[in-house]
Structures are given as C-alpha cells and as structure tokens.
Amino acid sequence: MRASTFTAPLIVIALSAVAAPVSAQSRVYVGGIVAADSGDRGGVELGTFPAAGGLVGLRLSDNWSIELHLDRGFRDGTPHGRPGFFGIDSLQDHAGRGRTALVTWRFFQAGRIGAAASAGFSSRRFQTVRTVGVAPGVVLPPDDVLLQTQTTTTEAAGLTGGLFLPVALGSGFSIAPEVRATFGFTSDGVYQDGLYRHLYSGVRVMWGF
C-alpha cells in the first residue's frame, strides 16, 4: 500500500462534508490542541512524543459536527542499528505532520459540561535518515552512490475514534480533554508495511463550539 491509499479516505470525508446539508444553526468553530502521541508504529522507534496543531469544525446541528485537524509531532529518535549491505546501518526516525478527519457527536450536556464521541480517519508521516555502515574490509569509493545518506518517508494511517469532554469557559471558548485510538497500517519507507496502533491523548481549546 502507498501513501495515496491512506489519503484517499481523507478526501472522501472532506468532499462529503462540503456536500452535506447544513442546517440554519450550523456554524464554524476553530481550536488548538496539544497532545501526547504514543503507540506501535511498525519499525518507527520514537516512543511517546508531543504534538501540537489546530482544528476547524463545522456544526451541522446541536449535536453533530465534522472536523479537520492538522498537527505536527516533535521528536527526533535515538539512532539505532540495522544490518545493511556493507555493515550495520544507522537509522534515525523523526516525527512529522498529522492529519485527521472526524465526525463528532455530542451525546451529553449538563450545564457547562458535555461529552462527545468522535470517529474518522487519521494519518501521520515519519521521516527516517539512514546512514550506510561499512564493515572493516569493505572497500568502496567515498562518493559511491550506495554509501550516500538516504531520507525516506513512512506513512502511518488508519481508522480512529475517541471521546472528548468540552467544558464551556464563557465568551464562546471551551476546553476539552480528549483521547483517541487509531488502528491501521504503516507503509512505504525503509521499514515496509507494519501495524499502526496509536493513542492520542491531549487537551483542545475551542472557540465557537
């Protein structure tokens, strides 16, 4: 599978959002989010890292909304070794941008405190810098194309779902702790295909929700 396979559902969701009938009560809301990103990402070795970004949502009714999220992960992994053609290669992973499309349903509201469920599609991109290792006794010219440092991209994506608890602060602002789990696959890149099991837990601040 290639990255284009992962991005196609995002496009479908976005187009469906544009085509959806919007009620008279619909309105746009915006927000920011900070979170901890953790889980199994195939061969990518980054552990738990911080992420921050923004979101834009469209309320279709009092209870239903659609959202698009963009964020950036912040972590440079520790270099680790892997057998290569000429010795032990050094690989270093870097967290990249994330994209998420969600449908949300607010199923509870009591005064200022509410509860909402979300479901959709989420992806994140990782980069890996590979430094080719050369074992003793292997003789190659230093400018040999096989010895050049390589940067590859791994795309991880899957279905996601979770909960968030919006608390109204006044003047249109609200704050909401959130947790989402994603189950999918990684593809392309130096690690090839693998499982993507990812937990995203953080806090969002919104205006207009």
CSV table of all heavy atoms in Angstrom, one decimal, residues 28-78:
chain,number,residue,atom,x,y,z
A,28,VAL,N,-19.2,27.6,12.0
A,28,VAL,CA,-17.8,27.1,12.0
A,28,VAL,C,-17.2,27.4,13.4
A,28,VAL,O,-17.5,28.4,14.0
A,28,VAL,CB,-17.0,27.9,10.9
A,28,VAL,CG1,-15.5,27.5,11.0
A,28,VAL,CG2,-17.5,27.5,9.5
A,29,TYR,N,-16.4,26.5,13.9
A,29,TYR,CA,-15.6,26.7,15.1
A,29,TYR,C,-14.1,26.3,14.8
A,29,TYR,O,-13.8,25.6,13.9
A,29,TYR,CB,-16.2,26.0,16.3
A,29,TYR,CG,-16.2,24.5,16.1
A,29,TYR,CD1,-15.2,23.6,16.6
A,29,TYR,CD2,-17.4,23.9,15.6
A,29,TYR,CE1,-15.3,22.2,16.4
A,29,TYR,CE2,-17.5,22.5,15.4
A,29,TYR,CZ,-16.4,21.7,15.9
A,29,TYR,OH,-16.5,20.3,15.8
A,30,VAL,N,-13.2,26.9,15.6
A,30,VAL,CA,-11.8,26.7,15.4
A,30,VAL,C,-11.2,26.4,16.8
A,30,VAL,O,-11.8,26.6,17.9
A,30,VAL,CB,-11.1,27.9,14.8
A,30,VAL,CG1,-11.6,28.1,13.4
A,30,VAL,CG2,-11.3,29.1,15.7
A,31,GLY,N,-10.0,25.8,16.8
A,31,GLY,CA,-9.3,25.5,18.0
A,31,GLY,C,-7.9,25.1,17.9
A,31,GLY,O,-7.4,24.9,16.7
A,32,GLY,N,-7.2,24.9,19.0
A,32,GLY,CA,-5.9,24.3,19.0
A,32,GLY,C,-5.8,23.2,19.9
A,32,GLY,O,-6.7,23.0,20.8
A,33,ILE,N,-4.8,22.3,19.7
A,33,ILE,CA,-4.7,21.1,20.6
A,33,ILE,C,-3.3,20.8,20.8
A,33,ILE,O,-2.4,21.0,20.0
A,33,ILE,CB,-5.4,19.9,19.9
A,33,ILE,CG1,-5.4,18.7,20.8
A,33,ILE,CG2,-4.8,19.6,18.5
A,33,ILE,CD1,-6.4,17.6,20.3
A,34,VAL,N,-3.0,20.3,22.0
A,34,VAL,CA,-1.7,19.8,22.4
A,34,VAL,C,-1.9,18.4,22.9
A,34,VAL,O,-2.9,18.1,23.6
A,34,VAL,CB,-1.0,20.6,23.4
A,34,VAL,CG1,-0.5,22.0,22.9
A,34,VAL,CG2,-1.8,20.8,24.7
A,35,ALA,N,-1.0,17.5,22.6
A,35,ALA,CA,-1.3,16.1,22.9
A,35,ALA,C,0.0,15.3,23.0
A,35,ALA,O,1.1,15.7,22.6
A,35,ALA,CB,-2.2,15.4,21.9
A,36,ALA,N,-0.2,14.1,23.6
A,36,ALA,CA,0.9,13.1,23.7
A,36,ALA,C,0.6,12.0,22.7
A,36,ALA,O,-0.5,11.4,22.7
A,36,ALA,CB,1.1,12.5,25.1
A,37,ASP,N,1.5,11.7,21.8
A,37,ASP,CA,1.3,10.6,20.7
A,37,ASP,C,2.1,9.4,21.1
A,37,ASP,O,3.3,9.5,21.2
A,37,ASP,CB,1.7,11.2,19.4
A,37,ASP,CG,1.3,10.3,18.2
A,37,ASP,OD1,1.7,9.1,18.2
A,37,ASP,OD2,0.6,10.8,17.3
A,38,SER,N,1.5,8.3,21.3
A,38,SER,CA,2.2,7.1,21.7
A,38,SER,C,1.6,5.9,21.0
A,38,SER,O,0.5,5.9,20.3
A,38,SER,CB,2.0,6.9,23.2
A,38,SER,OG,0.7,6.7,23.6
A,39,GLY,N,2.3,4.7,21.0
A,39,GLY,CA,1.8,3.5,20.5
A,39,GLY,C,2.8,2.8,19.6
A,39,GLY,O,4.0,3.2,19.5
A,40,ASP,N,2.4,1.8,18.9
A,40,ASP,CA,3.2,1.0,18.0
A,40,ASP,C,3.0,1.5,16.6
A,40,ASP,O,1.9,1.6,16.0
A,40,ASP,CB,2.6,-0.5,18.0
A,40,ASP,CG,3.4,-1.4,17.2
A,40,ASP,OD1,4.5,-1.0,16.6
A,40,ASP,OD2,3.1,-2.6,17.1
A,41,ARG,N,4.2,1.9,16.0
A,41,ARG,CA,4.2,2.5,14.6
A,41,ARG,C,5.0,1.6,13.7
A,41,ARG,O,5.8,2.2,12.9
A,41,ARG,CB,4.7,3.9,14.7
A,41,ARG,CG,4.0,4.7,15.8
A,41,ARG,CD,4.7,6.1,15.9
A,41,ARG,NE,4.1,6.9,17.0
A,41,ARG,CZ,4.7,6.9,18.2
A,41,ARG,NH1,5.8,6.3,18.4
A,41,ARG,NH2,4.1,7.6,19.1
A,42,GLY,N,4.9,0.3,13.7
A,42,GLY,CA,5.7,-0.5,12.9
A,42,GLY,C,7.2,-0.5,13.4
A,42,GLY,O,7.5,-0.6,14.5
A,43,GLY,N,8.1,-0.2,12.4
A,43,GLY,CA,9.5,-0.2,12.8
A,43,GLY,C,10.0,1.2,13.3
A,43,GLY,O,11.1,1.4,13.8
A,44,VAL,N,9.1,2.2,13.3
A,44,VAL,CA,9.5,3.6,13.7
A,44,VAL,C,9.6,3.6,15.2
A,44,VAL,O,8.7,3.2,16.0
A,44,VAL,CB,8.4,4.6,13.3
A,44,VAL,CG1,8.8,6.0,13.8
A,44,VAL,CG2,8.3,4.6,11.8
A,45,GLU,N,10.8,4.0,15.7
A,45,GLU,CA,11.1,4.0,17.1
A,45,GLU,C,11.2,5.4,17.7
A,45,GLU,O,12.3,6.0,17.7
A,45,GLU,CB,12.4,3.2,17.3
A,45,GLU,CG,12.4,1.7,16.9
A,45,GLU,CD,13.7,1.0,17.3
A,45,GLU,OE1,14.5,1.6,18.0
A,45,GLU,OE2,13.8,-0.2,16.9
A,46,LEU,N,10.1,5.8,18.2
A,46,LEU,CA,10.0,7.2,18.7
A,46,LEU,C,9.4,7.3,20.1
A,46,LEU,O,9.4,8.3,20.7
A,46,LEU,CB,9.2,8.1,17.8
A,46,LEU,CG,9.9,8.6,16.5
A,46,LEU,CD1,9.0,9.3,15.6
A,46,LEU,CD2,11.2,9.4,16.8
A,47,GLY,N,8.8,6.2,20.6
A,47,GLY,CA,8.2,6.2,21.9
A,47,GLY,C,7.0,7.2,21.9
A,47,GLY,O,6.3,7.4,20.9
A,48,THR,N,6.8,7.9,23.1
A,48,THR,CA,5.8,8.9,23.2
A,48,THR,C,6.4,10.3,22.9
A,48,THR,O,7.5,10.6,23.5
A,48,THR,CB,5.2,8.9,24.6
A,48,THR,OG1,4.6,7.6,24.9
A,48,THR,CG2,4.1,9.9,24.8
A,49,PHE,N,5.7,11.0,22.1
A,49,PHE,CA,6.3,12.4,21.8
A,49,PHE,C,5.1,13.4,21.8
A,49,PHE,O,4.0,13.1,21.6
A,49,PHE,CB,7.0,12.4,20.4
A,49,PHE,CG,6.1,12.0,19.2
A,49,PHE,CD1,5.2,12.8,18.6
A,49,PHE,CD2,6.2,10.7,18.7
A,49,PHE,CE1,4.5,12.5,17.5
A,49,PHE,CE2,5.4,10.3,17.7
A,49,PHE,CZ,4.6,11.2,17.0
A,50,PRO,N,5.5,14.7,22.0
A,50,PRO,CA,4.4,15.7,22.0
A,50,PRO,C,4.0,16.1,20.6
A,50,PRO,O,4.8,16.0,19.6
A,50,PRO,CB,5.1,16.9,22.7
A,50,PRO,CG,6.6,16.7,22.4
A,50,PRO,CD,6.8,15.2,22.4
A,51,ALA,N,2.8,16.5,20.4
A,51,ALA,CA,2.3,17.0,19.2
A,51,ALA,C,1.4,18.3,19.5
A,51,ALA,O,0.8,18.4,20.5
A,51,ALA,CB,1.4,16.0,18.5
A,52,ALA,N,1.4,19.2,18.5
A,52,ALA,CA,0.5,20.4,18.7
A,52,ALA,C,0.0,20.8,17.3
A,52,ALA,O,0.7,20.6,16.3
A,52,ALA,CB,1.4,21.5,19.3
A,53,GLY,N,-1.2,21.4,17.3
A,53,GLY,CA,-1.7,21.8,16.0
A,53,GLY,C,-3.1,22.5,16.2
A,53,GLY,O,-3.4,23.0,17.2
A,54,GLY,N,-3.8,22.5,15.1
A,54,GLY,CA,-5.1,23.2,15.1
A,54,GLY,C,-6.2,22.4,14.5
A,54,GLY,O,-5.9,21.4,13.8
A,55,LEU,N,-7.4,22.9,14.6
A,55,LEU,CA,-8.6,22.2,14.0
A,55,LEU,C,-9.6,23.2,13.6
A,55,LEU,O,-9.6,24.4,14.1
A,55,LEU,CB,-9.2,21.2,15.0
A,55,LEU,CG,-9.9,21.8,16.3
A,55,LEU,CD1,-11.4,22.1,16.1
A,55,LEU,CD2,-9.7,20.9,17.5
A,56,VAL,N,-10.4,22.9,12.6
A,56,VAL,CA,-11.5,23.6,12.2
A,56,VAL,C,-12.7,22.7,12.1
A,56,VAL,O,-12.6,21.6,11.6
A,56,VAL,CB,-11.3,24.4,10.8
A,56,VAL,CG1,-10.9,23.4,9.7
A,56,VAL,CG2,-12.4,25.2,10.4
A,57,GLY,N,-13.8,23.1,12.6
A,57,GLY,CA,-15.0,22.3,12.6
A,57,GLY,C,-16.3,23.0,12.1
A,57,GLY,O,-16.3,24.2,12.0
A,58,LEU,N,-17.2,22.2,11.7
A,58,LEU,CA,-18.5,22.8,11.2
A,58,LEU,C,-19.6,22.1,11.9
A,58,LEU,O,-19.8,20.8,11.8
A,58,LEU,CB,-18.6,22.6,9.7
A,58,LEU,CG,-19.9,23.1,9.0
A,58,LEU,CD1,-20.1,24.6,9.1
A,58,LEU,CD2,-20.0,22.6,7.6
A,59,ARG,N,-20.4,22.8,12.6
A,59,ARG,CA,-21.6,22.3,13.3
A,59,ARG,C,-22.7,22.1,12.4
A,59,ARG,O,-23.2,23.1,11.8
A,59,ARG,CB,-22.0,23.1,14.5
A,59,ARG,CG,-20.9,23.1,15.6
A,59,ARG,CD,-21.4,23.9,16.8
A,59,ARG,NE,-22.7,23.4,17.4
A,59,ARG,CZ,-23.3,23.9,18.4
A,59,ARG,NH1,-22.8,24.9,19.1
A,59,ARG,NH2,-24.4,23.4,18.9
A,60,LEU,N,-23.2,20.9,12.2
A,60,LEU,CA,-24.3,20.6,11.3
A,60,LEU,C,-25.6,20.7,12.1
A,60,LEU,O,-26.7,20.9,11.4
A,60,LEU,CB,-24.1,19.2,10.7
A,60,LEU,CG,-22.8,19.0,9.9
A,60,LEU,CD1,-22.8,17.6,9.4
A,60,LEU,CD2,-22.7,20.0,8.8
A,61,SER,N,-25.6,20.5,13.4
A,61,SER,CA,-26.7,20.6,14.2
A,61,SER,C,-26.2,20.8,15.6
A,61,SER,O,-25.1,21.0,15.9
A,61,SER,CB,-27.6,19.3,14.1
A,61,SER,OG,-26.9,18.2,14.8
A,62,ASP,N,-27.2,20.8,16.6
A,62,ASP,CA,-26.7,21.0,18.0
A,62,ASP,C,-25.8,19.9,18.5
A,62,ASP,O,-25.0,20.1,19.4
A,62,ASP,CB,-28.0,21.0,18.9
A,62,ASP,CG,-28.7,22.3,18.8
A,62,ASP,OD1,-28.1,23.3,18.3
A,62,ASP,OD2,-29.9,22.4,19.2
A,63,ASN,N,-25.9,18.7,17.9
A,63,ASN,CA,-25.2,17.5,18.3
A,63,ASN,C,-24.1,17.0,17.4
A,63,ASN,O,-23.2,16.4,17.8
A,63,ASN,CB,-26.2,16.4,18.7
A,63,ASN,CG,-27.1,16.7,19.8
A,63,ASN,OD1,-26.8,17.4,20.7
A,63,ASN,ND2,-28.4,16.3,19.6
A,64,TRP,N,-24.2,17.3,16.1
A,64,TRP,CA,-23.4,16.7,15.1
A,64,TRP,C,-22.4,17.7,14.5
A,64,TRP,O,-22.9,18.8,14.2
A,64,TRP,CB,-24.1,16.0,14.0
A,64,TRP,CG,-24.9,14.8,14.4
A,64,TRP,CD1,-26.2,14.7,14.9
A,64,TRP,CD2,-24.3,13.5,14.5
A,64,TRP,NE1,-26.5,13.4,15.2
A,64,TRP,CE2,-25.4,12.6,15.0
A,64,TRP,CE3,-23.1,12.9,14.2
A,64,TRP,CZ2,-25.2,11.3,15.2
A,64,TRP,CZ3,-22.9,11.5,14.4
A,64,TRP,CH2,-23.9,10.7,14.8
A,65,SER,N,-21.2,17.4,14.3
A,65,SER,CA,-20.2,18.2,13.7
A,65,SER,C,-19.2,17.4,12.8
A,65,SER,O,-19.1,16.2,13.0
A,65,SER,CB,-19.4,19.0,14.8
A,65,SER,OG,-20.2,19.8,15.6
A,66,ILE,N,-18.5,18.1,12.0
A,66,ILE,CA,-17.4,17.5,11.3
A,66,ILE,C,-16.2,18.3,11.5
A,66,ILE,O,-16.3,19.6,11.7
A,66,ILE,CB,-17.7,17.4,9.7
A,66,ILE,CG1,-18.1,18.7,9.2
A,66,ILE,CG2,-18.7,16.3,9.5
A,66,ILE,CD1,-18.3,18.7,7.7
A,67,GLU,N,-15.0,17.7,11.5
A,67,GLU,CA,-13.8,18.4,11.9
A,67,GLU,C,-12.6,18.0,11.0
A,67,GLU,O,-12.5,16.8,10.6
A,67,GLU,CB,-13.4,18.2,13.3
A,67,GLU,CG,-14.3,18.7,14.3
A,67,GLU,CD,-13.9,18.4,15.8
A,67,GLU,OE1,-12.9,17.6,16.0
A,67,GLU,OE2,-14.6,18.9,16.7
A,68,LEU,N,-11.7,18.9,10.7
A,68,LEU,CA,-10.4,18.6,10.1
A,68,LEU,C,-9.3,19.1,11.0
A,68,LEU,O,-9.3,20.2,11.5
A,68,LEU,CB,-10.3,19.3,8.7
A,68,LEU,CG,-11.2,18.8,7.6
A,68,LEU,CD1,-11.0,19.6,6.4
A,68,LEU,CD2,-10.9,17.3,7.3
A,69,HIS,N,-8.3,18.2,11.3
A,69,HIS,CA,-7.2,18.5,12.2
A,69,HIS,C,-5.9,18.5,11.4
A,69,HIS,O,-5.7,17.6,10.6
A,69,HIS,CB,-7.1,17.5,13.4
A,69,HIS,CG,-8.3,17.5,14.3
A,69,HIS,ND1,-8.2,17.6,15.6
A,69,HIS,CD2,-9.6,17.4,14.0
A,69,HIS,CE1,-9.4,17.5,16.2
A,69,HIS,NE2,-10.3,17.4,15.3
A,70,LEU,N,-5.0,19.4,11.7
A,70,LEU,CA,-3.6,19.3,11.3
A,70,LEU,C,-2.7,19.6,12.5
A,70,LEU,O,-2.9,20.5,13.3
A,70,LEU,CB,-3.3,20.4,10.2
A,70,LEU,CG,-4.0,20.2,8.9
A,70,LEU,CD1,-3.7,21.5,8.0
A,70,LEU,CD2,-3.6,19.0,8.1
A,71,ASP,N,-1.7,18.7,12.6
A,71,ASP,CA,-0.8,18.9,13.7
A,71,ASP,C,0.7,18.5,13.3
A,71,ASP,O,0.9,18.1,12.2
A,71,ASP,CB,-1.2,18.2,15.0
A,71,ASP,CG,-1.0,16.7,14.9
A,71,ASP,OD1,-0.5,16.2,13.9
A,71,ASP,OD2,-1.2,16.0,16.0
A,72,ARG,N,1.6,18.7,14.2
A,72,ARG,CA,3.0,18.4,14.0
A,72,ARG,C,3.5,17.7,15.2
A,72,ARG,O,3.4,18.1,16.3
A,72,ARG,CB,3.8,19.7,13.7
A,72,ARG,CG,5.3,19.5,13.6
A,72,ARG,CD,5.6,18.9,12.2
A,72,ARG,NE,7.0,19.1,11.8
A,72,ARG,CZ,8.0,18.3,12.3
A,72,ARG,NH1,7.7,17.3,13.1
A,72,ARG,NH2,9.2,18.5,11.8
A,73,GLY,N,4.2,16.5,15.0
A,73,GLY,CA,4.9,15.8,16.1
A,73,GLY,C,6.3,16.4,16.2
A,73,GLY,O,6.9,16.8,15.3
A,74,PHE,N,6.7,16.3,17.5
A,74,PHE,CA,8.1,16.9,17.8
A,74,PHE,C,8.9,15.8,18.5
A,74,PHE,O,8.8,15.6,19.8
A,74,PHE,CB,7.9,18.1,18.7
A,74,PHE,CG,7.2,19.2,18.0
A,74,PHE,CD1,5.8,19.4,18.3
A,74,PHE,CD2,7.8,20.2,17.2
A,74,PHE,CE1,5.1,20.4,17.7
A,74,PHE,CE2,7.1,21.2,16.6
A,74,PHE,CZ,5.7,21.3,16.8
A,75,ARG,N,9.7,15.1,17.8
A,75,ARG,CA,10.6,14.1,18.4
A,75,ARG,C,11.6,13.7,17.3
A,75,ARG,O,11.3,13.3,16.2
A,75,ARG,CB,9.8,12.9,18.9
A,75,ARG,CG,10.7,11.8,19.5
A,75,ARG,CD,11.6,12.2,20.6
A,75,ARG,NE,10.9,12.8,21.7
A,75,ARG,CZ,10.3,12.0,22.7
A,75,ARG,NH1,10.4,10.7,22.7
A,75,ARG,NH2,9.7,12.6,23.7
A,76,ASP,N,12.9,13.7,17.7
A,76,ASP,CA,14.0,13.1,16.9
A,76,ASP,C,14.4,11.9,17.7
A,76,ASP,O,14.9,12.0,18.8
A,76,ASP,CB,15.1,14.1,16.7
A,76,ASP,CG,14.7,15.3,15.9
A,76,ASP,OD1,13.9,15.2,15.0
A,76,ASP,OD2,15.2,16.4,16.2
A,77,GLY,N,14.3,10.7,17.1
A,77,GLY,CA,14.6,9.5,17.8
A,77,GLY,C,16.1,9.3,18.0
A,77,GLY,O,16.9,9.9,17.3
A,78,THR,N,16.4,8.3,18.8
A,78,THR,CA,17.8,7.9,19.1
A,78,THR,C,18.2,7.0,17.9
A,78,THR,O,17.5,6.1,17.5
A,78,THR,CB,17.9,7.2,20.4
A,78,THR,OG1,17.4,8.0,21.5
A,78,THR,CG2,19.3,6.7,20.7
